[in-house]
Amino acid sequence: MTAQVLPPELLIEAMLIEAEYQGAREALTGLLNRRRSALYKLWRTCKNPSLIAANLPTTIKKETVEAAVVKLAPPQDFELLELFEISHV
């Protein structure tokens, strides 16, 4: 059985695309963390996920805000009844 040689130009193209893809994933992760942080900060000011979502683009739902809070909240926030209920849904 002979080894198959892959075309170098296709290998280079695939490597460049993979590098771009990994960079985009890293950037998206950073944006997701910033989004969660901003939503959590808003929640800390009024603790009303529905009100927060109503004032943001429709891509942000009440559940989006709640998920950000559950992800970022320190333990003392879980003593709040609303957050405790959210985390056990």
Side-chain angles (χ1 to χ4, degrees):
M1 186 160 136
T2 60
Q4 185 174 359
V5 177
L6 298 172
E9 64 277 0
L10 293 179
L11 286 171
I12 291 169
E13 179 183 6
M15 286 183 217
L16 291 173
I17 292 169
E18 182 62 19
E20 186 177 343
Y21 172 76
Q22 292 301 326
R25 284 186 60 182
E26 185 176 329
L28 182 58
T29 298
L31 285 172
L32 178 58
N33 290 334
R34 289 176 44 208
R35 178 190 196 208
R36 286 179 181 147
S37 178
L39 293 174
Y40 175 68
K41 288 175 187 175
L42 284 167
W43 178 83
R44 293 287 298 169
T45 65
C46 74
K47 297 185 178 48
N48 184 337
S50 296
L51 177 64
I52 294 166
N55 284 279
L56 292 171
T58 58
T59 55
I60 303 288
K61 309 283 188 226
K62 172 186 166 223
E63 294 79 14
T64 310
V65 176
E66 292 170 344
V69 172
V70 168
K71 181 82 173 170
L72 296 179
Q76 61 267 24
D77 281 348
F78 280 88
E79 295 172 5
L80 301 172
L81 180 59
E82 298 89 5
L83 186 55
F84 181 78
E85 290 172 358
I86 291 168
S87 68
H88 286 83
V89 172

